[in-house]
Amino acid sequence: MESRLAALISTNPESSGRTCAWRLDALLLGLLAAVLSGCRDAPRVAGVVHLDPRLGDGRSSAAVLAEQRQLFEEHIFRAPLEAASGAPVDPPAPFVAEGAVAQAQRGGIGLGRVTGEQSLGSFVRAAALDARDTDVIEVDVDARLPGRARIEWTRADDPGRGRLLEVNFDGAGPQTLVFALAAQDGWNGAIERLAVIPNATGAEPVAIGAVRLMRAAYSMGHSPLAQATGRGQAGYGLGDGGLVTLELETRRAWPSDMDVPLVARARAPAGAVLSFDVAFDVSSREIETPLHIAIDGRRPKGAWKRLFVRTIVPAERPAETLWRPVHVPLGALAEGAVELRFVAHEGGDGNDLARVANDSVPQRVRVLFGRPLLVPQVAEERLPNLLLITLDTARKDAFTPWNPARRTPFLAALAERSLVFDSALATSNSTQPSHASMLTGMHPLEHGVVDNFALLAPENETLAELLRERGYLTAGAVSQQFLGSAAGFGQGFDQFLEAASDAWLDGSSTVRGVRRWLESWGAEAPRPWFLWMHLFDPHTPYTPTAPFLEHYLATHGVDLPRRASETPDMPVLDVLPPEMAFLRGVTNRAHAEFLYEVCAAYTDALSENLASTLSQLDQLGSTAIFVTADHGESLGERSNWFNHKGVFPEVIRIPLVVSWPGALPPARIATPVSLIDILPTFAAKLGLRPTAQLAGEDLFAIAARPTEKRRVWFEHAEGWQAGTFDGAEYFVDTLRNGLPFGLEVRVDADGRRVPSEQRLARGQRFLFNLERDPLGLDDQSAAQPERTEQLGELLERYRGSLEQRARLARDMNAADRQQMGQLGYGDGETVR
């Protein structure tokens, strides 16, 4: 039946260079429903076998390479002994102070008062630098308060464009900050200007003790599995080098050098295929001699036999040096103990086993082996594939299952054979905190990601980590960079698609990347897999692609509402902040709401496009699908226009549809559920064993008890508000003073209409009964003071009972900072 569905679904991912398939007719809906309803429950069977290739002596090649650093320059920032604190001093040559006076400080030399109102004082290296000489800069600082230091640079061939990388520090005193520059955009060629800014927050002066420019043999990627240090902890003893990104494609990598083999030992399942991705170092792209990737195999203590060779000439096809898939059937070596040897050669014909030096040690990184695993032969009984689709800024009533006036046919079809949760709530009003809750099963205070500038700490155990241990290939693809691997969201993933520069405006690039993965695997597809795909399109600015907007209008016979209205029904402003620029000239609320509607429908079409690919690959019927959102959006409720401030119902109520082959008959569930229930659902169905005590529950168990009362909780970014919902009473408490919420128009001295945000005071409480007041617009807190006080005390006790994890700020570069500003997020003090 899937083949019929594949034949009937129209897919064209390259249409207009952008958009995917947009249409499901009634027949296709029925076919999809039949496919999803006709599968058996997933048995308790083995999955893929993850490999951990090591050097001949058993050491991690990544660890060996990471310890090899060549010092290029070291500059000691030490004030003369006789210099009093605050006295002017000279930094070590070739560094000079700019924008401030260099002063003696505890721990070295700092910068005094900044002379320019908007500038930050810096130490500038007054000499040109070749980026090939250094790719890591270490800066010793002495800090009494948390903050961040910054490296800025400009290239000689691009002097008008500044780049930067910010690294966070705590207030614990002396510490060494590591700026890994090799992977940063623009760190190449001649560096014309290099500046070190001790404290980019502009707060208390921070002293620099030393600056070291170094050449590293290897810089560990994000979220290495080997980060655990205690025996028995998840990840202990694994030898990967973390997540390495080449052209946005990220793989969990094992690095090595030419002729230096990595050996993996495993028990191969019947019919096993070795599957991995391979890439060469960026510097190899100009090589004109052949480079060979080879795989050798043997039974333990037997003779090595070459199983596979692939040859490329990088200068002829430089793109071949990027991540490329390799699938090697083990043949007679399958089913039983096996040793596999991964090796690369330069020159020759690639078949000379004598070149392999089993006792050699890599001197530099020339080759990267990504996500190596053994795939068992396709069996009748196997674990289901898992697809988690998260739609950013997607309120529940933007989709057909909850609003018949909306036009989202894919989700409508999926809902017909799924569990549909009518009272699903986000854990936060912000992207990072809610996604962290999905992936950890914890509330924001527990996992520590309380805003969009945070790092998901490695101490958190993620769904991807648990599924990887269960035998899943784990893959993630995001459309917004603050959900990328640099923010900690790559934990446990074997491969990751970082957000393309335009993915936040058009998620089709993300879908195309995922399709590319699926199609490249072909018949040897590693199964089972877990895929998390994130789409950002409904977020402001509401800018649906022109081809899809035209298609939407034509297909549904509707017109785009006019931008202007004779009687404006939304604020009219002469001066708009950058994040509201898309509203310039818009005075008709229906126009903006319609654009939001189309953006939500676009995510539905993109999701359908991915489903059609699964159908074509005969994998749709064996895939469990979860579709949900991180939070909703205010469309003028409470005078809050086109953002997601506050934790009121329009922001916290989200879509949630769960389809698991053969699990339960389709049903609508009214019981309140939360994003923290997603991980426990996977755990219950697949026998995962989270180490933390999770408060969430299996969604299928909740569905089996439809009349049971249940309470869920939610938290505003940075703790501005918090609330709770039990299926009827929706309670919100304002915990901090001055929450910007609601827009007023005022006239400035020049007569211009400018925005002025209202402020909520600490202690302002709101109580709604959503059974009688579904939109939550009738505040009952004043009419029911005793109940309001009881709920306030209940919320306080609940938040106090949580084991809170400290927030970690994430490192950021110029692109991060620019995009956060475009989206209206402040400098770590966002309330959106």
Side-chain angles (χ1 to χ4, degrees), residues 343-365:
V343 66
H345 306 299
E346 181 176 357
D349 64 4
N351 290 303
D352 185 4
L353 271 67
R355 291 182 58 172
V356 181
N358 290 313
D359 58 350
S360 58
V361 176
Q363 299 303 308
R364 62 189 181 118
V365 176

